[in-house]
Amino acid sequence: MNPFIVTYTNKFKDYCDKMFFHNLHQMAKDYTVCIIDNTPGMAYTHTLAEIISAYTWKSVHLEHIEVDPDPERTVFLRSVAASAERCRELFLQSGCDHMIIVESDVVPPKNTVSLLYGDLNKVPSDWGAIGALYYPGFHNYEQMGLHETTHTLSGCTLYNRKLLEDTPFKWNPDNIHAFSDFWISYDAVQKGFKLYNA
């Protein structure tokens, strides 16, 4: 197992940041970790640096990005897309075999990496992503266990390097209610990749 584990966050998530990073460390301390802060200004990045410095990581990278604040109505959408895309770029520069996104208000179990990797021998070679978090409106809660789906949103998701090599995270100004995880799911299916929930 050689995952590149990423999260993107913002000061809006500071209500759970200490708990989140404590849990992320328990889950990811033996792997490469990348944290993107998309809060305007550097103050929250410094706070995050203090939080993560309390833990011993195999490899941790903290980076700050900002998007143009105008137009204001799409700033959150654009921040998420830019953050996810920066995670993808850094992953592709790494020697890691898969990327796992864990959103910064999600607290998965400590054995999440081994659980997700355990599903790899159950899916065909043309898999694109395996999601571990279900969303109302996208997923059927009656289907439990590993099963094929049309959307694997990025709450806690394992991505195939083959998918990410030529499929960016993006947003679309013609649909500002759809975030980058929706679009990468859409693009994956269009390219012939299969998506799963675990």
Side-chain angles (χ1 to χ4, degrees):
M1 291 188 300
N2 185 26
F4 190 84
I5 300 176
V6 304
T7 189
Y8 40 85
T9 193
N10 186 285
K11 186 169 182 355
F12 290 124
K13 303 285 182 72
D14 66 357
Y15 68 92
C16 65
D17 55 11
K18 292 179 178 62
M19 180 177 68
F20 172 80
F21 285 104
H22 173 76
N23 187 77
L24 185 70
H25 175 260
Q26 290 183 316
M27 186 188 101
K29 64 182 177 181
D30 297 327
Y31 307 110
T32 301
V33 175
C34 175
I35 303 157
I36 303 294
D37 172 33
N38 57 40
T39 311
M42 291 296 295
Y44 191 56
T45 306
H46 297 312
T47 298
L48 292 173
E50 288 180 21
I51 292 171
I52 66 175
S53 70
Y55 301 99
T56 302
W57 308 82
K58 174 188 172 185
S59 173
V60 65
H61 172 76
L62 172 63
E63 188 170 311
H64 175 260
I65 67 168
E66 289 188 41
V67 300
D68 189 332
D70 294 316
E72 185 178 354
R73 69 188 190 111
T74 61
V75 70
F76 178 58
L77 175 67
R78 291 181 288 111
S79 292
V80 169
S83 299
E85 180 57 16
R86 182 59 181 151
C87 290
R88 173 184 165 269
E89 291 168 356
L90 292 168
F91 161 67
L92 292 175
Q93 294 168 19
S94 78
C96 297
D97 50 13
H98 303 94
M99 185 173 86
I100 299 174
I101 291 181
V102 181
E103 291 188 345
S104 61
D105 55 0
V106 174
V107 182
K110 290 188 286 187
N111 63 341
T112 296
V113 174
S114 59
L115 288 173
L116 287 169
Y117 269 75
D119 287 325
L120 290 181
N121 62 357
K122 303 172 190 172
V123 295
S125 60
D126 59 351
W127 72 277
I130 301 173
L133 189 64
Y134 294 12
Y135 291 83
F138 283 96
H139 300 132
N140 181 352
Y141 284 83
E142 294 178 7
Q143 289 185 287
M144 302 304 291
L146 186 69
H147 60 276
E148 195 169 348
T149 185
T150 56
H151 292 89
T152 51
L153 305 183
S154 293
C156 181
T157 303
L158 175 70
Y159 287 94
N160 190 338
R161 177 178 272 273
K162 291 178 184 175
L163 170 64
L164 295 181
E165 282 173 348
D166 67 354
T167 311
F169 289 93
K170 65 185 184 184
W171 68 285
N172 187 326
D174 295 327
N175 185 347
I176 64 169
H177 302 292
F179 281 78
S180 53
D181 52 359
F182 167 85
W183 288 113
I184 201 164
S185 291
Y186 176 84
D187 289 342
V189 171
Q190 296 302 305
K191 294 179 178 184
F193 288 94
K194 293 183 172 65
L195 305 177
Y196 294 87
N197 276 328

